[in-house]
Every structure is written in C-alpha cells, then in structure tokens.
Amino acid sequence: WFLVGLAIVAVTIGAWFFSRLSPPLPRKIYRIGFEQNPPYHFRQPDGSPGGIAYEVVSEAAQRAGIQLEWMQRQESSEAALRSGQVDLWPLVTDLPERRKFIYISRPWLQTDHFLVIREGKALPDHGFTGDVGCGSLPLHARLVRQHFPQAPSIPFPSHLEVVKAVCTGQLEVGFLGAAPAMEALRAGPPECAAVPLQAYAV
C-alpha cells in the first residue's frame, strides 16, 4: 500500500508540474475568414457559414476551447491575412511564397486539381494557348498560369458554370479542384447530359 500511495502522489505531482508548463488556453475570440469555395466553405441560404472546412475547423476549435468568429471576406485568403483583417483561414493552398508571411499548420486535407475536357478531346499540354475556365478565386488563376503559361484563365462564379462551358463547347478545358470536378462528373448541369466528360489530375 505504501508503494501504491507513493505512485499516486508522484502522478499527482507530475500532473501538476506539467500543467504549469502547458500554455493557457487563449481567451480571445479569433476572427476566421472564409469565402465562397464550395464544398469546403461557403455561406448557406440562411446566412450562416457551412461546408467541410467549416465543420472540421469548428469541431477542432470547440474541442480545444478556442472561440471563433466566422467572417465572410471578399478578398482572397492571402490578402485578408496580410492585411490583418482576419487571424485565421480554414483552408489555404500551401505555396512556398506564402510561408514567408503566413504560418501554415500541418495539412489536415490534401487534394488535387483536375482538368475537365470532353471525351475524345486531346489532353492539353504545357504550351496550350486556348481559354481555360476556372473558379473565381485568385489562386485558381495562379495555378492555371503555372500549368499553362500562355493560356488565358477565364473565371466563373461556380464550378458548374465551368463544366457547362466545357459541355457546350464555349471552352475546351476546365480547371477544377478534386471535389468540384467529381461532383460535376457525377451530377453536372443539364447541358452535359449527353456530353461525356473526362477528368485528369494535374
């Protein structure tokens, strides 16, 4: 019994000591920005934020005892963080130049980007000069330039609009994130009902 009691005392003292070393939980409310980027984060019809990133980050913050104030922003994540308008952003693409001024945590989500083209069309190469449809985020245009330096990027308000433009022949190529590309192939706009599409990871 003496040894058991000694062990309990040792554990208690150790727990107290390490609790003193642990940083206190932050008491401030952190402003976290988001934009219309479904299915990751977006404003729902009732005005509240929603999406995969919103749900995951909100749950993590609740478990850690961190208070968040979600704020929809018109500027990009990069601009909002640079200007100090927000403290956090739920999901950013990890680019080397961003690490110079943004702390980026270990990734909790990894995704690819896809080219969407009509079936039977040739896959565009690095020298492609035609229009490439993409989302409206500044990052999308930047990524299109990396893959196709000579191709103009044409922003669309939604991924379904990009796919519709490909199906109707307005565009040869659409550039989309993995989740929007898969959703478009599964249940695209009516204009795509009779137009087979293919998606290629880039």
Side-chain angles (χ1 to χ4, degrees), residues 10-164:
V11 169
T12 303
I13 293 174
W16 174 82
F17 176 75
F18 285 110
S19 70
R20 301 270 297 181
L21 295 179
S22 301
L25 288 175
R27 297 302 178 191
K28 67 174 286 187
I29 298 175
Y30 287 88
R31 300 163 302 165
I32 182 167
F34 74 99
E35 58 199 340
Q36 289 296 111
N37 186 20
Y40 304 113
H41 39 75
F42 53 87
R43 185 169 291 282
Q44 302 184 98
D46 65 358
S48 63
I52 300 168
Y54 167 76
E55 293 174 3
V56 171
V57 173
S58 294
E59 177 69 18
Q62 184 178 4
R63 293 186 184 189
I66 296 172
Q67 291 184 283
L68 299 177
E69 178 187 358
W70 289 82
M71 308 171 62
Q72 185 175 11
R73 305 300 305 177
Q74 298 303 316
E75 70 270 46
S76 67
S77 59
E78 187 173 311
L81 288 164
R82 271 185 180 274
S83 65
Q85 296 299 311
V86 298
D87 305 304
L88 306 168
W89 202 272
L91 191 67
V92 296
T93 299
D94 189 355
L95 301 173
E97 58 268 27
R98 287 181 168 178
R99 285 187 171 268
K100 297 176 182 178
F101 63 93
I102 298 176
Y103 169 76
I104 299 178
S105 70
R106 289 187 302 168
W108 62 270
L109 176 68
Q110 184 170 336
T111 185
D112 294 316
H113 286 84
F114 283 77
L115 299 180
V116 177
I117 63 175
R118 282 169 287 169
E119 193 173 85
K121 293 287 184 178
L123 188 65
D125 58 19
H126 194 66
F128 182 69
T129 58
D131 293 341
V132 178
C134 62
S136 58
L137 303 183
L139 173 67
H140 297 159
R142 183 189 304 185
L143 294 175
V144 168
R145 282 196 302 272
Q146 288 181 3
H147 291 286
F148 307 107
Q150 303 174 62
S153 59
I154 310 298
F156 285 81
S158 74
H159 64 277
L160 289 178
E161 291 295 321
V162 174
V163 175
K164 176 181 174 180

